[in-house]
Amino acid sequence: MRKHQILTIGECMVEMAPRQDEAYNRNFAGDSFNTAWYLRQLLPSDDQVGYCSAVGTDGISNAMLAFMQAAGIATQAVRRIPSRTVGLYMIELANGERSFSYWRGESAAKLLAEDRAFLSQAVAGQNLVLFSGITLAILSEPHRQQLLDVLRDARASGTTIAFDPNMRLRLWPDQQTMCDAVAKAAMVADIVLPSFDEDGPNYRDETPQATIERYKASGATCVVVKNGPGRVHAFSKDEGSVVFDPVPVETVVDTTAAGDSFNAGFLAARLSGASMVDAMTRGAFVSAQVIKSRGALVPLQI
Ligand code: ADP
């Protein structure tokens, strides 16, 4: 089979996860990176999975790059910005509930779309490029526009663009700005992978079908509306409307990266020519494993 090149674009952060003894484990995670990490596990070894972002030149930036490389992820598209470093978040546990504190104000990744030539070079020749609403949220408005311009050009040259709206209101000045930016970004995407618990309230979509129609109207040829444990509603140009019911997971431990890992399973299957139902089955199979363990990156039983 043909070798594929896949690139995901966004911010990977240092994650400080509490242990029993008040010490913390240091991990690396971030939505677009999590999807790359799972794609790397799911795809044949001769497919290339790369990450596009920016980091600093300090020790923790080097450690993050080394982690990516050890996971088999190509890092040529990670810019180095000496005056910056990587962002960090800390998970706090109180009575079993997780809350997050973030330090990402000056993270290098905010400049990932600063250099148009670098970005164009990064996406050139890729079969599939994925980005998300979080990727957009961290960029300045001119850089956001630059990223969309580069992706539009890539799409015109035959690259499939996948987009997960991943709407995080606290990363945006207000809801309207977020909804406008996500809607604009979706216009450059072939595949849109929203979650109904975010798109429903933000766009006042009454049903997942309404979410599908909105993204079809903006030019998507494939839309998959995830809904936690609920029914997945999807559409593809070739197969029309399709629904899929995930097998319920009884013992959910941590839903971090449920959507990111679903996206990886779904996209990996589609790259190998799977039908929509088979690809959603794969996505749900992967995310079911992920939510049964703690943390964003869970080694898979493939
Ligand atoms: P996101 O993390 O983007 O909000 P969702 O919560 O919608 O994503 O979940 C993504 C996928 O993970 C779902 O489509 C489903 O396959 C799986 N999933 C999530 N929660 C459960 C659950 N409780 N039981 C079974 N599968 C689940």
Side-chain angles (χ1 to χ4, degrees):
M1 198 178 34
R2 191 166 67 98
K3 179 172 154 33
H4 296 110
Q5 291 195 56
I6 299 102
L7 186 77
T8 74
I9 307 177
E11 179 174 24
C12 182
M13 301 178 80
V14 177
E15 178 195 79
M16 303 302 287
R19 298 196 311 215
Q20 307 290 12
D21 57 358
E22 297 206 348
Y24 284 79
N25 284 332
R26 190 202 69 193
N27 307 312
F28 299 106
D31 67 333
S32 51
F33 176 72
N34 302 340
T35 301
W37 193 86
Y38 285 110
L39 280 167
R40 182 57 290 166
Q41 287 195 60
L42 292 165
L43 290 168
S45 57
D46 59 351
D47 285 348
Q48 178 178 287
V49 180
Y51 195 52
C52 175
S53 188
V55 301
T57 52
D58 53 349
I60 189 68
S61 297
N62 293 341
M64 183 184 280
L65 274 191
F67 176 80
M68 292 175 181
Q69 288 158 2
I73 295 169
T75 58
Q76 299 96 301
V78 180
R79 287 181 74 207
R80 294 285 210 151
I81 301 173
S83 58
R84 298 252 176 149
T85 184
V86 292
L88 179 147
Y89 68 95
M90 187 176 273
I91 302 169
E92 282 153 294
L93 276 179
N95 306 322
E97 287 292 314
R98 289 154 61 93
S99 65
F100 297 82
S101 300
Y102 291 89
W103 291 264
R104 73 195 321 175
E106 286 297 301
S107 79
K110 291 183 165 218
L111 299 178
L112 72 86
E114 183 184 41
D115 183 337
R116 184 176 175 138
F118 184 93
L119 211 50
S120 300
Q121 173 77 30
V123 301
Q126 300 291 329
N127 300 96
L128 175 70
V129 172
L130 173 133
F131 72 119
S132 79
I134 298 178
T135 314
L136 300 174
I138 63 168
L139 304 180
S140 67
E141 164 57 26
H143 289 182
R144 206 180 294 150
Q145 188 56 52
Q146 185 144 271
L147 173 65
L148 297 186
D149 290 345
V150 167
L151 293 177
R152 191 178 297 105
D153 289 351
R155 187 187 193 189
S157 312
T159 299
T160 299
I161 308 292
F163 175 59
D164 184 333
N166 252 338
M167 303 175 92
R168 300 286 185 274
L169 187 53
R170 72 160 145 182
L171 295 179
W172 294 91
D174 54 64
Q175 189 189 33
Q176 193 60 49
T177 309
M178 172 176 75
C179 288
D180 290 350
V182 165
K184 203 168 168 189
M187 292 170 77
V188 307
D190 301 286
I191 303 174
V192 186
L193 303 161
S195 290
F196 191 64
D197 66 343
E198 295 166 10
D199 270 59
N202 280 306
Y203 288 103
R204 298 199 185 90
D205 293 339
E206 293 206 339
T207 59
Q209 197 54 40
T211 306
I212 291 177
E213 293 306 325
R214 205 166 32 76
Y215 288 122
K216 273 167 70 177
S218 71
T221 53
C222 175
V223 185
V224 181
V225 186
K226 297 160 278 178
N227 201 2
R231 172 170 282 184
V232 183
H233 290 255
F235 164 85
S236 83
K237 208 172 167 208
D238 300 337
E239 296 181 42
S241 294
V242 190
V243 294
F244 171 77
D245 293 308
V247 178
V249 171
E250 306 285 326
T251 48
V252 176
V253 173
D254 174 7
T255 57
T256 304
D260 310 333
S261 55
F262 179 98
N263 293 349
F266 176 80
L267 292 170
R270 291 294 280 174
L271 278 169
S272 71
S275 69
M276 288 292 282
V277 165
D278 286 352
M280 290 190 280
T281 305
R282 191 74 171 140
F285 172 75
V286 174
S287 52
Q289 293 183 52
V290 171
I291 64 179
K292 284 182 203 161
S293 293
R294 196 172 285 289
L297 305 181
V298 175
L300 299 176
Q301 314 291 320
I302 297 175

